[in-house]
Amino acid sequence: ERIALDAGVDLLHVKGPATDPRLDPQTRSSSDVDVLVRPAHLADFQQALAAAGWRKFSSIERGSAFSHAANWWHDHWGYVDVHAHWPGARIDAEAAYDVFAEGGYLLPIAHQPCRVPGLVAQGLLRVMHEGRSRAGDPGRLAFLEHDSWLADVEALAQRVDAELALAAGLGQLDRFREDPAYDLWR
């Protein structure tokens, strides 16, 4: 967060300790930090990381089948996954970032106020992550058992054209068999 602020970079902390307890009341340990960077600021952020002693471990292009994140390593701080976009949101990455940032707030992480997405956006990001990671832990999505949550998450998924990713996370991917991205998500 401090590197981003000093470099004038917009980013959002996602997953792990950045998750609102209403979405995941369990305390989970985390082995890295995940940030979603405004696409227009990505190069500046990566330069700032390198200047602060971080080394690129994997590139965005080779990091996953979704070409969405680069892993950086620091000898004292460990890993940070720098997300250029969030897999599943099929609108322009800059526009998707703006939608995910709406309603965002500061959450203290390690005594540092960190920018995180709004609650509904956190929920959608989490479901989309489940869809691509196949974590297999239905308890991680228990917050969706409340009808109002699911309706809000579905509405946000429509705004960012992420209905397929949402279906994957909910175990309903077969509804999208005709979609060109079906095989990638399967």
Side-chain angles (χ1 to χ4, degrees):
E1 182 71 17
R2 177 56 40 209
I3 291 169
L5 289 172
D6 290 347
V9 169
D10 294 339
L11 63 71
L12 298 166
H13 290 259
V14 295
K15 297 177 24 187
T19 302
D20 189 290
R22 289 171 285 183
L23 299 180
D24 187 0
Q26 301 176 28
T27 302
R28 297 183 188 275
S29 62
S30 185
S31 62
D32 65 0
V33 172
D34 288 89
V35 294
L36 176 62
V37 177
R38 177 178 295 285
H41 295 178
L42 183 62
D44 291 341
F45 186 58
Q46 293 188 101
Q47 283 181 328
L49 284 173
W54 293 78
R55 293 184 312 276
K56 189 183 287 188
F57 186 77
S58 69
S59 69
I60 289 172
E61 299 77 22
R62 295 180 179 257
S64 79
F66 293 92
S67 298
H68 72 287
N71 298 68
W72 287 74
W73 169 260
H74 190 282
D75 290 339
H76 299 293
W77 299 105
Y79 285 104
V80 62
D81 289 347
V82 178
H83 296 259
H85 65 91
W86 200 262
R90 298 196 278 191
I91 65 170
D92 172 74
E94 195 75 33
Y97 180 90
D98 287 338
V99 171
F100 294 140
E102 286 176 14
Y105 57 94
L106 294 174
L107 179 73
I109 302 172
H111 306 287
Q112 170 70 44
C114 296
R115 295 164 287 178
V116 299
L119 201 54
V120 174
Q122 286 185 43
L124 176 59
L125 292 168
R126 182 178 196 130
V127 175
M128 291 193 301
H129 177 72
E130 291 296 316
R132 100 183 143 74
S133 69
R134 297 183 189 199
D137 181 359
R140 292 175 56 103
L141 300 179
F143 70 93
L144 289 174
E145 293 173 3
H146 304 292
D147 291 340
S148 63
W149 268 105
L150 185 54
D152 291 344
V153 169
E154 287 173 336
L156 188 60
Q158 288 177 350
R159 285 187 62 200
V160 296
D161 191 13
E163 292 94 337
L164 181 146
L166 178 65
L170 296 175
Q172 302 168 358
L173 184 59
D174 284 345
R175 292 183 16 226
F176 290 85
R177 283 186 178 276
E178 303 305 316
D179 191 293
Y182 171 81
D183 285 335
L184 177 63
W185 284 85
R186 186 175 51 82

PDB file of all heavy atoms in Angstrom, residues 130-162:
ATOM      1  N   GLU A 130     -13.196 -18.395  -6.756  1.00  0.00           N
ATOM      2  CA  GLU A 130     -13.551 -19.799  -6.500  1.00  0.00           C
ATOM      3  C   GLU A 130     -13.786 -20.533  -7.814  1.00  0.00           C
ATOM      4  O   GLU A 130     -13.403 -21.695  -7.963  1.00  0.00           O
ATOM      5  CB  GLU A 130     -14.794 -19.894  -5.612  1.00  0.00           C
ATOM      6  CG  GLU A 130     -14.581 -19.450  -4.195  1.00  0.00           C
ATOM      7  CD  GLU A 130     -13.589 -20.306  -3.423  1.00  0.00           C
ATOM      8  OE1 GLU A 130     -13.650 -21.539  -3.525  1.00  0.00           O
ATOM      9  OE2 GLU A 130     -12.753 -19.725  -2.719  1.00  0.00           O
ATOM     10  N   GLY A 131     -14.405 -19.842  -8.771  1.00  0.00           N
ATOM     11  CA  GLY A 131     -14.697 -20.476 -10.055  1.00  0.00           C
ATOM     12  C   GLY A 131     -13.457 -20.862 -10.830  1.00  0.00           C
ATOM     13  O   GLY A 131     -13.441 -21.855 -11.547  1.00  0.00           O
ATOM     14  N   ARG A 132     -12.391 -20.106 -10.656  1.00  0.00           N
ATOM     15  CA  ARG A 132     -11.180 -20.436 -11.410  1.00  0.00           C
ATOM     16  C   ARG A 132     -10.197 -21.255 -10.600  1.00  0.00           C
ATOM     17  O   ARG A 132      -9.352 -21.928 -11.154  1.00  0.00           O
ATOM     18  CB  ARG A 132     -10.569 -19.158 -11.967  1.00  0.00           C
ATOM     19  CG  ARG A 132      -9.470 -18.582 -11.294  1.00  0.00           C
ATOM     20  CD  ARG A 132      -9.006 -17.278 -11.911  1.00  0.00           C
ATOM     21  NE  ARG A 132      -8.602 -16.400 -10.863  1.00  0.00           N
ATOM     22  CZ  ARG A 132      -7.474 -16.553 -10.182  1.00  0.00           C
ATOM     23  NH1 ARG A 132      -6.655 -17.526 -10.466  1.00  0.00           N
ATOM     24  NH2 ARG A 132      -7.181 -15.720  -9.214  1.00  0.00           N
ATOM     25  N   SER A 133     -10.307 -21.227  -9.278  1.00  0.00           N
ATOM     26  CA  SER A 133      -9.333 -21.940  -8.459  1.00  0.00           C
ATOM     27  C   SER A 133      -9.790 -23.332  -8.054  1.00  0.00           C
ATOM     28  O   SER A 133      -8.975 -24.132  -7.619  1.00  0.00           O
ATOM     29  CB  SER A 133      -9.015 -21.136  -7.199  1.00  0.00           C
ATOM     30  OG  SER A 133     -10.138 -21.102  -6.342  1.00  0.00           O
ATOM     31  N   ARG A 134     -11.094 -23.573  -8.169  1.00  0.00           N
ATOM     32  CA  ARG A 134     -11.656 -24.866  -7.759  1.00  0.00           C
ATOM     33  C   ARG A 134     -11.233 -25.253  -6.356  1.00  0.00           C
ATOM     34  O   ARG A 134     -10.822 -26.375  -6.092  1.00  0.00           O
ATOM     35  CB  ARG A 134     -11.243 -25.978  -8.724  1.00  0.00           C
ATOM     36  CG  ARG A 134     -11.752 -25.776 -10.121  1.00  0.00           C
ATOM     37  CD  ARG A 134     -11.351 -26.944 -10.950  1.00  0.00           C
ATOM     38  NE  ARG A 134     -11.645 -26.676 -12.344  1.00  0.00           N
ATOM     39  CZ  ARG A 134     -11.739 -27.602 -13.235  1.00  0.00           C
ATOM     40  NH1 ARG A 134     -11.555 -28.846 -12.909  1.00  0.00           N
ATOM     41  NH2 ARG A 134     -12.015 -27.311 -14.475  1.00  0.00           N
ATOM     42  N   ALA A 135     -11.296 -24.285  -5.453  1.00  0.00           N
ATOM     43  CA  ALA A 135     -10.858 -24.521  -4.075  1.00  0.00           C
ATOM     44  C   ALA A 135     -11.684 -25.601  -3.384  1.00  0.00           C
ATOM     45  O   ALA A 135     -11.214 -26.254  -2.478  1.00  0.00           O
ATOM     46  CB  ALA A 135     -10.902 -23.226  -3.283  1.00  0.00           C
ATOM     47  N   GLY A 136     -12.919 -25.784  -3.822  1.00  0.00           N
ATOM     48  CA  GLY A 136     -13.732 -26.873  -3.298  1.00  0.00           C
ATOM     49  C   GLY A 136     -14.184 -26.700  -1.863  1.00  0.00           C
ATOM     50  O   GLY A 136     -14.456 -27.673  -1.190  1.00  0.00           O
ATOM     51  N   ASP A 137     -14.263 -25.490  -1.369  1.00  0.00           N
ATOM     52  CA  ASP A 137     -14.686 -25.246   0.003  1.00  0.00           C
ATOM     53  C   ASP A 137     -15.976 -24.443  -0.019  1.00  0.00           C
ATOM     54  O   ASP A 137     -15.951 -23.216  -0.041  1.00  0.00           O
ATOM     55  CB  ASP A 137     -13.587 -24.492   0.754  1.00  0.00           C
ATOM     56  CG  ASP A 137     -13.955 -24.234   2.211  1.00  0.00           C
ATOM     57  OD1 ASP A 137     -15.058 -24.623   2.632  1.00  0.00           O
ATOM     58  OD2 ASP A 137     -13.127 -23.637   2.913  1.00  0.00           O
ATOM     59  N   PRO A 138     -17.143 -25.134  -0.032  1.00  0.00           N
ATOM     60  CA  PRO A 138     -18.415 -24.409  -0.119  1.00  0.00           C
ATOM     61  C   PRO A 138     -18.638 -23.457   1.048  1.00  0.00           C
ATOM     62  O   PRO A 138     -19.345 -22.471   0.925  1.00  0.00           O
ATOM     63  CB  PRO A 138     -19.473 -25.508  -0.150  1.00  0.00           C
ATOM     64  CG  PRO A 138     -18.785 -26.758   0.236  1.00  0.00           C
ATOM     65  CD  PRO A 138     -17.315 -26.571   0.042  1.00  0.00           C
ATOM     66  N   GLY A 139     -18.014 -23.693   2.180  1.00  0.00           N
ATOM     67  CA  GLY A 139     -18.143 -22.798   3.320  1.00  0.00           C
ATOM     68  C   GLY A 139     -17.590 -21.421   3.034  1.00  0.00           C
ATOM     69  O   GLY A 139     -17.993 -20.438   3.654  1.00  0.00           O
ATOM     70  N   ARG A 140     -16.692 -21.319   2.077  1.00  0.00           N
ATOM     71  CA  ARG A 140     -16.097 -20.031   1.735  1.00  0.00           C
ATOM     72  C   ARG A 140     -17.118 -19.108   1.072  1.00  0.00           C
ATOM     73  O   ARG A 140     -16.911 -17.917   1.002  1.00  0.00           O
ATOM     74  CB  ARG A 140     -14.890 -20.224   0.826  1.00  0.00           C
ATOM     75  CG  ARG A 140     -13.726 -20.894   1.541  1.00  0.00           C
ATOM     76  CD  ARG A 140     -12.589 -21.173   0.600  1.00  0.00           C
ATOM     77  NE  ARG A 140     -12.142 -19.976  -0.071  1.00  0.00           N
ATOM     78  CZ  ARG A 140     -11.047 -19.287   0.240  1.00  0.00           C
ATOM     79  NH1 ARG A 140     -10.299 -19.680   1.229  1.00  0.00           N
ATOM     80  NH2 ARG A 140     -10.702 -18.221  -0.446  1.00  0.00           N
ATOM     81  N   LEU A 141     -18.214 -19.665   0.574  1.00  0.00           N
ATOM     82  CA  LEU A 141     -19.239 -18.848  -0.073  1.00  0.00           C
ATOM     83  C   LEU A 141     -20.547 -18.845   0.716  1.00  0.00           C
ATOM     84  O   LEU A 141     -21.600 -18.534   0.185  1.00  0.00           O
ATOM     85  CB  LEU A 141     -19.482 -19.345  -1.500  1.00  0.00           C
ATOM     86  CG  LEU A 141     -18.272 -19.311  -2.435  1.00  0.00           C
ATOM     87  CD1 LEU A 141     -18.639 -19.854  -3.804  1.00  0.00           C
ATOM     88  CD2 LEU A 141     -17.700 -17.908  -2.542  1.00  0.00           C
ATOM     89  N   ALA A 142     -20.477 -19.178   1.990  1.00  0.00           N
ATOM     90  CA  ALA A 142     -21.683 -19.270   2.812  1.00  0.00           C
ATOM     91  C   ALA A 142     -22.450 -17.952   2.859  1.00  0.00           C
ATOM     92  O   ALA A 142     -23.671 -17.955   3.012  1.00  0.00           O
ATOM     93  CB  ALA A 142     -21.326 -19.724   4.225  1.00  0.00           C
ATOM     94  N   PHE A 143     -21.769 -16.822   2.690  1.00  0.00           N
ATOM     95  CA  PHE A 143     -22.446 -15.531   2.730  1.00  0.00           C
ATOM     96  C   PHE A 143     -23.521 -15.429   1.655  1.00  0.00           C
ATOM     97  O   PHE A 143     -24.477 -14.678   1.794  1.00  0.00           O
ATOM     98  CB  PHE A 143     -21.443 -14.375   2.610  1.00  0.00           C
ATOM     99  CG  PHE A 143     -20.809 -14.241   1.246  1.00  0.00           C
ATOM    100  CD1 PHE A 143     -21.353 -13.407   0.293  1.00  0.00           C
ATOM    101  CD2 PHE A 143     -19.660 -14.958   0.938  1.00  0.00           C
ATOM    102  CE1 PHE A 143     -20.767 -13.284  -0.957  1.00  0.00           C
ATOM    103  CE2 PHE A 143     -19.066 -14.835  -0.302  1.00  0.00           C
ATOM    104  CZ  PHE A 143     -19.624 -13.999  -1.257  1.00  0.00           C
ATOM    105  N   LEU A 144     -23.403 -16.208   0.583  1.00  0.00           N
ATOM    106  CA  LEU A 144     -24.382 -16.141  -0.508  1.00  0.00           C
ATOM    107  C   LEU A 144     -25.700 -16.827  -0.162  1.00  0.00           C
ATOM    108  O   LEU A 144     -26.653 -16.732  -0.920  1.00  0.00           O
ATOM    109  CB  LEU A 144     -23.802 -16.780  -1.773  1.00  0.00           C
ATOM    110  CG  LEU A 144     -22.692 -15.989  -2.448  1.00  0.00           C
ATOM    111  CD1 LEU A 144     -22.099 -16.791  -3.590  1.00  0.00           C
ATOM    112  CD2 LEU A 144     -23.200 -14.650  -2.943  1.00  0.00           C
ATOM    113  N   GLU A 145     -25.757 -17.508   0.968  1.00  0.00           N
ATOM    114  CA  GLU A 145     -26.985 -18.197   1.351  1.00  0.00           C
ATOM    115  C   GLU A 145     -28.130 -17.222   1.641  1.00  0.00           C
ATOM    116  O   GLU A 145     -29.280 -17.608   1.667  1.00  0.00           O
ATOM    117  CB  GLU A 145     -26.730 -19.100   2.555  1.00  0.00           C
ATOM    118  CG  GLU A 145     -25.813 -20.263   2.211  1.00  0.00           C
ATOM    119  CD  GLU A 145     -25.407 -21.084   3.421  1.00  0.00           C
ATOM    120  OE1 GLU A 145     -25.886 -20.791   4.540  1.00  0.00           O
ATOM    121  OE2 GLU A 145     -24.617 -22.012   3.237  1.00  0.00           O
ATOM    122  N   HIS A 146     -27.792 -15.972   1.828  1.00  0.00           N
ATOM    123  CA  HIS A 146     -28.821 -14.951   2.032  1.00  0.00           C
ATOM    124  C   HIS A 146     -29.221 -14.414   0.664  1.00  0.00           C
ATOM    125  O   HIS A 146     -28.381 -13.961  -0.109  1.00  0.00           O
ATOM    126  CB  HIS A 146     -28.296 -13.831   2.928  1.00  0.00           C
ATOM    127  CG  HIS A 146     -27.795 -14.336   4.241  1.00  0.00           C
ATOM    128  ND1 HIS A 146     -28.622 -14.869   5.187  1.00  0.00           N
ATOM    129  CD2 HIS A 146     -26.543 -14.415   4.750  1.00  0.00           C
ATOM    130  CE1 HIS A 146     -27.912 -15.249   6.231  1.00  0.00           C
ATOM    131  NE2 HIS A 146     -26.645 -14.985   5.990  1.00  0.00           N
ATOM    132  N   ASP A 147     -30.503 -14.492   0.331  1.00  0.00           N
ATOM    133  CA  ASP A 147     -30.993 -14.114  -0.995  1.00  0.00           C
ATOM    134  C   ASP A 147     -30.550 -12.728  -1.428  1.00  0.00           C
ATOM    135  O   ASP A 147     -30.223 -12.507  -2.585  1.00  0.00           O
ATOM    136  CB  ASP A 147     -32.527 -14.200  -1.046  1.00  0.00           C
ATOM    137  CG  ASP A 147     -33.019 -15.633  -0.981  1.00  0.00           C
ATOM    138  OD1 ASP A 147     -32.221 -16.541  -1.269  1.00  0.00           O
ATOM    139  OD2 ASP A 147     -34.185 -15.830  -0.628  1.00  0.00           O
ATOM    140  N   SER A 148     -30.533 -11.776  -0.509  1.00  0.00           N
ATOM    141  CA  SER A 148     -30.170 -10.415  -0.895  1.00  0.00           C
ATOM    142  C   SER A 148     -28.715 -10.349  -1.358  1.00  0.00           C
ATOM    143  O   SER A 148     -28.391  -9.601  -2.276  1.00  0.00           O
ATOM    144  CB  SER A 148     -30.418  -9.442   0.257  1.00  0.00           C
ATOM    145  OG  SER A 148     -29.596  -9.779   1.356  1.00  0.00           O
ATOM    146  N   TRP A 149     -27.839 -11.118  -0.746  1.00  0.00           N
ATOM    147  CA  TRP A 149     -26.442 -11.132  -1.174  1.00  0.00           C
ATOM    148  C   TRP A 149     -26.317 -11.630  -2.597  1.00  0.00           C
ATOM    149  O   TRP A 149     -25.636 -11.022  -3.415  1.00  0.00           O
ATOM    150  CB  TRP A 149     -25.606 -12.049  -0.265  1.00  0.00           C
ATOM    151  CG  TRP A 149     -24.996 -11.343   0.878  1.00  0.00           C
ATOM    152  CD1 TRP A 149     -25.390 -11.402   2.187  1.00  0.00           C
ATOM    153  CD2 TRP A 149     -23.897 -10.453   0.839  1.00  0.00           C
ATOM    154  NE1 TRP A 149     -24.595 -10.601   2.945  1.00  0.00           N
ATOM    155  CE2 TRP A 149     -23.662 -10.008   2.139  1.00  0.00           C
ATOM    156  CE3 TRP A 149     -23.086  -9.984  -0.185  1.00  0.00           C
ATOM    157  CZ2 TRP A 149     -22.651  -9.118   2.456  1.00  0.00           C
ATOM    158  CZ3 TRP A 149     -22.070  -9.099   0.125  1.00  0.00           C
ATOM    159  CH2 TRP A 149     -21.863  -8.684   1.432  1.00  0.00           C
ATOM    160  N   LEU A 150     -26.944 -12.739  -2.880  1.00  0.00           N
ATOM    161  CA  LEU A 150     -26.822 -13.330  -4.202  1.00  0.00           C
ATOM    162  C   LEU A 150     -27.365 -12.383  -5.264  1.00  0.00           C
ATOM    163  O   LEU A 150     -26.747 -12.194  -6.311  1.00  0.00           O
ATOM    164  CB  LEU A 150     -27.526 -14.684  -4.270  1.00  0.00           C
ATOM    165  CG  LEU A 150     -27.356 -15.455  -5.568  1.00  0.00           C
ATOM    166  CD1 LEU A 150     -25.880 -15.638  -5.920  1.00  0.00           C
ATOM    167  CD2 LEU A 150     -28.042 -16.800  -5.482  1.00  0.00           C
ATOM    168  N   ALA A 151     -28.488 -11.743  -5.000  1.00  0.00           N
ATOM    169  CA  ALA A 151     -29.061 -10.801  -5.965  1.00  0.00           C
ATOM    170  C   ALA A 151     -28.106  -9.634  -6.218  1.00  0.00           C
ATOM    171  O   ALA A 151     -27.915  -9.220  -7.363  1.00  0.00           O
ATOM    172  CB  ALA A 151     -30.415 -10.293  -5.470  1.00  0.00           C
ATOM    173  N   ASP A 152     -27.492  -9.116  -5.171  1.00  0.00           N
ATOM    174  CA  ASP A 152     -26.553  -8.003  -5.329  1.00  0.00           C
ATOM    175  C   ASP A 152     -25.316  -8.432  -6.111  1.00  0.00           C
ATOM    176  O   ASP A 152     -24.823  -7.701  -6.974  1.00  0.00           O
ATOM    177  CB  ASP A 152     -26.129  -7.450  -3.966  1.00  0.00           C
ATOM    178  CG  ASP A 152     -27.257  -6.738  -3.236  1.00  0.00           C
ATOM    179  OD1 ASP A 152     -28.272  -6.389  -3.877  1.00  0.00           O
ATOM    180  OD2 ASP A 152     -27.124  -6.546  -2.010  1.00  0.00           O
ATOM    181  N   VAL A 153     -24.797  -9.605  -5.805  1.00  0.00           N
ATOM    182  CA  VAL A 153     -23.610 -10.117  -6.504  1.00  0.00           C
ATOM    183  C   VAL A 153     -23.945 -10.390  -7.970  1.00  0.00           C
ATOM    184  O   VAL A 153     -23.159 -10.057  -8.862  1.00  0.00           O
ATOM    185  CB  VAL A 153     -23.054 -11.371  -5.789  1.00  0.00           C
ATOM    186  CG1 VAL A 153     -22.009 -12.076  -6.627  1.00  0.00           C
ATOM    187  CG2 VAL A 153     -22.469 -10.985  -4.426  1.00  0.00           C
ATOM    188  N   GLU A 154     -25.123 -10.947  -8.238  1.00  0.00           N
ATOM    189  CA  GLU A 154     -25.533 -11.193  -9.627  1.00  0.00           C
ATOM    190  C   GLU A 154     -25.660  -9.883 -10.405  1.00  0.00           C
ATOM    191  O   GLU A 154     -25.252  -9.800 -11.567  1.00  0.00           O
ATOM    192  CB  GLU A 154     -26.857 -11.964  -9.664  1.00  0.00           C
ATOM    193  CG  GLU A 154     -26.715 -13.409  -9.275  1.00  0.00           C
ATOM    194  CD  GLU A 154     -28.050 -14.132  -9.156  1.00  0.00           C
ATOM    195  OE1 GLU A 154     -29.092 -13.469  -8.935  1.00  0.00           O
ATOM    196  OE2 GLU A 154     -28.042 -15.359  -9.290  1.00  0.00           O
ATOM    197  N   ALA A 155     -26.224  -8.870  -9.771  1.00  0.00           N
ATOM    198  CA  ALA A 155     -26.377  -7.568 -10.442  1.00  0.00           C
ATOM    199  C   ALA A 155     -25.008  -6.967 -10.772  1.00  0.00           C
ATOM    200  O   ALA A 155     -24.810  -6.419 -11.864  1.00  0.00           O
ATOM    201  CB  ALA A 155     -27.185  -6.613  -9.564  1.00  0.00           C
ATOM    202  N   LEU A 156     -24.072  -7.083  -9.865  1.00  0.00           N
ATOM    203  CA  LEU A 156     -22.729  -6.571 -10.133  1.00  0.00           C
ATOM    204  C   LEU A 156     -22.048  -7.385 -11.228  1.00  0.00           C
ATOM    205  O   LEU A 156     -21.362  -6.825 -12.089  1.00  0.00           O
ATOM    206  CB  LEU A 156     -21.890  -6.568  -8.855  1.00  0.00           C
ATOM    207  CG  LEU A 156     -20.538  -5.870  -8.974  1.00  0.00           C
ATOM    208  CD1 LEU A 156     -20.700  -4.403  -9.369  1.00  0.00           C
ATOM    209  CD2 LEU A 156     -19.776  -5.985  -7.654  1.00  0.00           C
ATOM    210  N   ALA A 157     -22.259  -8.688 -11.232  1.00  0.00           N
ATOM    211  CA  ALA A 157     -21.687  -9.542 -12.283  1.00  0.00           C
ATOM    212  C   ALA A 157     -22.192  -9.110 -13.655  1.00  0.00           C
ATOM    213  O   ALA A 157     -21.425  -9.095 -14.629  1.00  0.00           O
ATOM    214  CB  ALA A 157     -22.028 -11.013 -12.029  1.00  0.00           C
ATOM    215  N   GLN A 158     -23.454  -8.735 -13.748  1.00  0.00           N
ATOM    216  CA  GLN A 158     -23.985  -8.246 -15.022  1.00  0.00           C
ATOM    217  C   GLN A 158     -23.289  -6.963 -15.450  1.00  0.00           C
ATOM    218  O   GLN A 158     -22.979  -6.787 -16.626  1.00  0.00           O
ATOM    219  CB  GLN A 158     -25.496  -8.029 -14.918  1.00  0.00           C
ATOM    220  CG  GLN A 158     -26.280  -9.307 -14.859  1.00  0.00           C
ATOM    221  CD  GLN A 158     -27.768  -9.066 -14.682  1.00  0.00           C
ATOM    222  OE1 GLN A 158     -28.218  -7.949 -14.415  1.00  0.00           O
ATOM    223  NE2 GLN A 158     -28.550 -10.126 -14.827  1.00  0.00           N
ATOM    224  N   ARG A 159     -23.024  -6.080 -14.507  1.00  0.00           N
ATOM    225  CA  ARG A 159     -22.371  -4.797 -14.843  1.00  0.00           C
ATOM    226  C   ARG A 159     -20.989  -4.988 -15.451  1.00  0.00           C
ATOM    227  O   ARG A 159     -20.546  -4.196 -16.266  1.00  0.00           O
ATOM    228  CB  ARG A 159     -22.244  -3.914 -13.601  1.00  0.00           C
ATOM    229  CG  ARG A 159     -23.542  -3.285 -13.178  1.00  0.00           C
ATOM    230  CD  ARG A 159     -23.340  -2.301 -12.052  1.00  0.00           C
ATOM    231  NE  ARG A 159     -22.476  -1.193 -12.426  1.00  0.00           N
ATOM    232  CZ  ARG A 159     -21.854  -0.426 -11.553  1.00  0.00           C
ATOM    233  NH1 ARG A 159     -21.987  -0.633 -10.260  1.00  0.00           N
ATOM    234  NH2 ARG A 159     -21.084   0.566 -11.970  1.00  0.00           N
ATOM    235  N   VAL A 160     -20.274  -6.035 -15.013  1.00  0.00           N
ATOM    236  CA  VAL A 160     -18.909  -6.256 -15.508  1.00  0.00           C
ATOM    237  C   VAL A 160     -18.839  -7.442 -16.469  1.00  0.00           C
ATOM    238  O   VAL A 160     -17.757  -7.914 -16.791  1.00  0.00           O
ATOM    239  CB  VAL A 160     -17.892  -6.419 -14.342  1.00  0.00           C
ATOM    240  CG1 VAL A 160     -17.804  -5.149 -13.523  1.00  0.00           C
ATOM    241  CG2 VAL A 160     -18.207  -7.628 -13.479  1.00  0.00           C
ATOM    242  N   ASP A 161     -20.002  -7.910 -16.925  1.00  0.00           N
ATOM    243  CA  ASP A 161     -20.071  -9.040 -17.862  1.00  0.00           C
ATOM    244  C   ASP A 161     -19.322 -10.255 -17.309  1.00  0.00           C
ATOM    245  O   ASP A 161     -18.457 -10.836 -17.961  1.00  0.00           O
ATOM    246  CB  ASP A 161     -19.535  -8.654 -19.245  1.00  0.00           C
ATOM    247  CG  ASP A 161     -19.842  -9.698 -20.309  1.00  0.00           C
ATOM    248  OD1 ASP A 161     -20.666 -10.604 -20.059  1.00  0.00           O
ATOM    249  OD2 ASP A 161     -19.229  -9.626 -21.397  1.00  0.00           O
ATOM    250  N   ALA A 162     -19.691 -10.636 -16.096  1.00  0.00           N
ATOM    251  CA  ALA A 162     -19.025 -11.753 -15.431  1.00  0.00           C
ATOM    252  C   ALA A 162     -19.988 -12.878 -15.070  1.00  0.00           C
ATOM    253  O   ALA A 162     -19.732 -13.647 -14.151  1.00  0.00           O
ATOM    254  CB  ALA A 162     -18.322 -11.251 -14.173  1.00  0.00           C
TER     255      ALA A 162
END
